[in-house]
Amino acid sequence: MKNTRIKNALILTLAAGLFLMAGCSKKDTPGQTGNPIVDPPVIPPVDAKTDVTMWLTKGDQSALLAKQNIALLFSTATNSNTTIAVDTTITYQSIDGFGFCLTGGSASVINSLPADKKDALLKELFATDDTHIGISYIRISIGASDMSAGDFTYDDVVSGTDESLAQFSIDKEKTDLIPVLKSILAINPQIKILACPWTAPVWMKINTLGNNGFTGGSLNTSYYDAYAKYFIKYIQAMKAEGITIDAITPQNEPLNANNNPAMVMQADEEANFVKNNLGPQLHTAGLTTKIIVWDHNADRPEYPIAILNDPAANPYVDGSAFHLYNGNISALTTVHNAYPAKNLYFTEQYTPSTGSFAGDLNWHLVNLIIGAPKNWSRNVLEWNMATDAAYGPHTNGGCSTCQGALTISGSSVTRNVSYYIIAHASKFVRPGAVRIASSELSVTPNVAFKNTDGSKVLIVFNTGSSNATFNIQFNNKIVTSTLPGGAAATYVW
């Protein structure tokens, strides 16, 4: 009997233990009953196998330089779609790069960021790996531009003149511009830098209009030699800071008297300055800095042609630079046809604070990112890299509606339309690339390049309002893609 009682007690104890174990196995969630819930395993997305990668920006901003996870495979199949034929056997100009104008105001708002955020932002802008946009060309001002907090040159005097340039100093740039440039060069030591003045020192000018002489006026012929020396001292001073100036233009917008700062320089004046002063002084100083003339709108191609027509000025001139506030981008080809051995550059275009993302994306992609290289430009630069939330800093009378590629407010950074305009090229088309042939199409304008590593890049914009389906043809094979209306795409293979 005792053994039976012990046996029954053991059975009851075992049963109770099993019951308790079953209770403990349930997930400890209020009201939870039944089997325990087990989270499903996280399965990372698998990139589609593709021959061509596609990066997309839509006018409605639902895609912003977004890599598309789709299969774009070349095949020998045929269809009736419109075709963009890309041909690497037909080559045009080499490419120097894509980027922005790093104004003094841009440098100041970038430099105002907390150190960690500033470093991360500059890496995003100038590094060349997969997660950054690889800006490869920048333009800076010699002295103040209209997007500086105030007017200044590097030789301002209270009264009289300073022909020996004894008071020349770039110290005003050591607060923001030079530190930012040094940070950029640490990321990309090969970046090209173009520099240009908005005005000469006021004491060198005659017939000025206002803003204490910084607006309007022209260069007094008595000071041509001193002004050339001013450029030499600037290039040497920047070099002493570890900053190489690849090229200069003698004057920003030389037919615009009304900006602040500004200075007028007619074509014959610029030719005389280049051939008699600036060119010879650069040569004597042993400097290889390029001279690029004009640096103004495409409505006056006769201006750079007049300088290039001057047999004494021509040898000193590397090429001509353009903006597109007036005129047609095809004017660059007019200059190229007149002087095919001379280079062409596109150095400025703003996006207004009053514009729309979709409208600016359309106009700038078609006319600049596609249009300028298709008309022989070696680069494309958008205007101001960064502004504060009030579209500043700017001078009194300077641009008050110039939207930066970045808006910086405190530690916050907003990426605006021109960021994506430039990134669609800068991220993929590297310095040393060459433009190659691609079909001329009205609804899907495009431009193609071949990088030094052999990769091909095709940039396409759909000017229509509905989807455009087309073929990309290369080496007798095609891949078919659909691009939404009002969207930009960069294809790489």
Side-chain angles (χ1 to χ4, degrees), residues 142 197 199-201 204 219-232 248-252 254 263-282 291-293 303 307 310 312-314 316-317:
I142 299 175
T199 184
M204 295 185 185
L219 185 63
N220 188 330
T221 56
S222 299
Y223 299 122
Y224 272 33
D225 199 58
Y227 194 37
K229 189 185 299 181
Y230 179 88
F231 279 88
I232 303 304
I248 52 174
T249 62
Q251 176 59 41
N252 171 69
M263 186 173 78
V264 173
M265 186 177 276
Q266 301 294 338
D268 61 333
E269 295 173 319
E270 190 161 303
N272 287 334
F273 178 60
V274 167
K275 71 182 180 183
N276 297 322
N277 308 99
L278 184 58
Q281 284 204 32
L282 282 169
I291 299 174
I292 300 171
V293 298
Y303 185 113
I307 298 173
D310 187 317
N314 182 295
Y316 292 113
V317 177

Side-chain angles (χ1 to χ4, degrees), residues 280-309:
Q281 284 204 32
L282 282 169
H283 178 74
T284 300
L287 297 172
T288 58
T289 307
K290 304 179 186 78
I291 299 174
I292 300 171
V293 298
W294 185 219
D295 210 358
H296 205 170
N297 288 326
D299 61 341
R300 296 292 297 274
E302 68 273 13
Y303 185 113
I305 288 174
I307 298 173
L308 295 171
N309 282 343

Side-chain angles (χ1 to χ4, degrees), residues 88-282:
T88 56
T89 67
I90 301 174
T91 61
Y92 302 93
Q93 79 277 18
S94 294
I95 300 300
D96 286 341
F98 297 84
F100 296 95
C101 301
L102 178 65
T103 62
S106 293
S108 69
V109 296
I110 291 171
N111 210 32
S112 71
L113 286 167
D116 58 337
K117 288 185 176 292
K118 177 176 64 177
D119 293 346
L121 177 63
L122 291 175
K123 187 175 181 182
E124 174 189 335
L125 295 173
F126 294 98
T128 57
D129 58 38
D130 287 346
T131 58
H132 305 104
I133 68 168
I135 292 168
S136 49
Y137 204 121
I138 53 176
R139 177 177 179 240
I140 61 176
S141 62
I142 299 175
S145 74
D146 60 306
M147 297 304 293
S148 295
D151 292 307
F152 68 92
T153 73
Y154 302 135
D155 202 312
D156 295 326
V157 297
V158 175
S159 62
T161 64
D162 181 26
E163 289 188 59
S164 66
L165 302 184
Q167 298 187 51
F168 178 93
S169 173
I170 62 168
D171 283 354
K172 286 188 177 180
E173 306 291 19
K174 292 181 179 179
T175 301
D176 294 313
L177 179 64
I178 287 175
V180 171
L181 283 173
K182 287 181 176 180
S183 295
I184 292 168
L185 287 165
I187 298 166
N188 180 2
Q190 283 75 46
I191 196 164
K192 289 189 180 296
I193 302 173
L194 167 68
C196 61
W198 265 237
T199 184
V202 170
W203 57 266
M204 295 185 185
K205 297 169 69 175
I206 57 174
N207 303 320
T208 56
L209 299 178
N211 292 305
N212 296 316
F214 283 95
T215 293
S218 58
L219 185 63
N220 188 330
T221 56
S222 299
Y223 299 122
Y224 272 33
D225 199 58
Y227 194 37
K229 189 185 299 181
Y230 179 88
F231 279 88
I232 303 304
K233 288 181 76 70
Y234 167 74
I235 294 166
Q236 292 172 335
M238 293 296 274
K239 187 66 175 177
E241 294 291 332
I243 299 164
T244 299
I245 303 301
D246 180 70
I248 52 174
T249 62
Q251 176 59 41
N252 171 69
E253 298 189 348
L255 297 185
N256 178 4
N258 299 306
N259 202 354
N260 178 28
M263 186 173 78
V264 173
M265 186 177 276
Q266 301 294 338
D268 61 333
E269 295 173 319
E270 190 161 303
N272 287 334
F273 178 60
V274 167
K275 71 182 180 183
N276 297 322
N277 308 99
L278 184 58
Q281 284 204 32
L282 282 169

